[in-house]
Amino acid sequence: EVQLQASGGGLVQAGGSLTLSCKVSGFNFEEYKIGWFRQAPGKEREGVSCIDGSDGRTYYTDSVKGRFTISSDSAKNTVDLQMNTLKPEDTAVYYCGVDLHDSTCPETFRYGMDLWGPGTQVTVSS
């Protein structure tokens, strides 16, 4: 069974850091693209970062470039999102998802992922 489980959310002050972790099971994530998305209250879900499991290439939305880093660990079957210099506007529920149809990372940002895990809340106080 394909599963994704996000963890690591919490409350942090502006300027602080958090690391989210997406545990994947039931598939070899090195064959697919895994992405982190977020949804703030009253807003649509948006792509934050994406990693191509086959070659490690990464992709970020402009608002997080230079602050967030996505990485994968094949031994642990995890895809992490290191978030630094957090801002109040980063507050959202964060979700990890997997693309199973060989979309590019930009395409996943536009069309979404095929499967999602439960979200984890990130709250950044000012």
Side-chain angles (χ1 to χ4, degrees), residues 48-49 59-70 82-87:
V48 175
S49 184
Y59 185 79
Y60 300 91
T61 192
D62 286 345
S63 63
V64 307
K65 286 180 180 177
R67 300 190 297 124
F68 291 11
T69 303
I70 191 170
Q82 173 69 42
M83 306 185 295
N84 298 325
T85 320
L86 282 161
K87 304 175 181 180

Side-chain angles (χ1 to χ4, degrees), residues 5 7 18-24 29 34-36 49-51 58 60 68-73 76-83 96:
Q5 182 66 53
S7 62
L18 279 175
T19 300
L20 305 182
S21 186
C22 180
K23 177 74 171 178
V24 304
F29 75 83
I34 306 289
W36 283 97
S49 184
C50 174
I51 187 167
T58 59
Y60 300 91
F68 291 11
T69 303
I70 191 170
S71 62
S72 63
D73 187 329
K76 297 180 180 179
N77 283 342
T78 57
V79 175
D80 291 348
L81 185 68
Q82 173 69 42
M83 306 185 295
C96 61

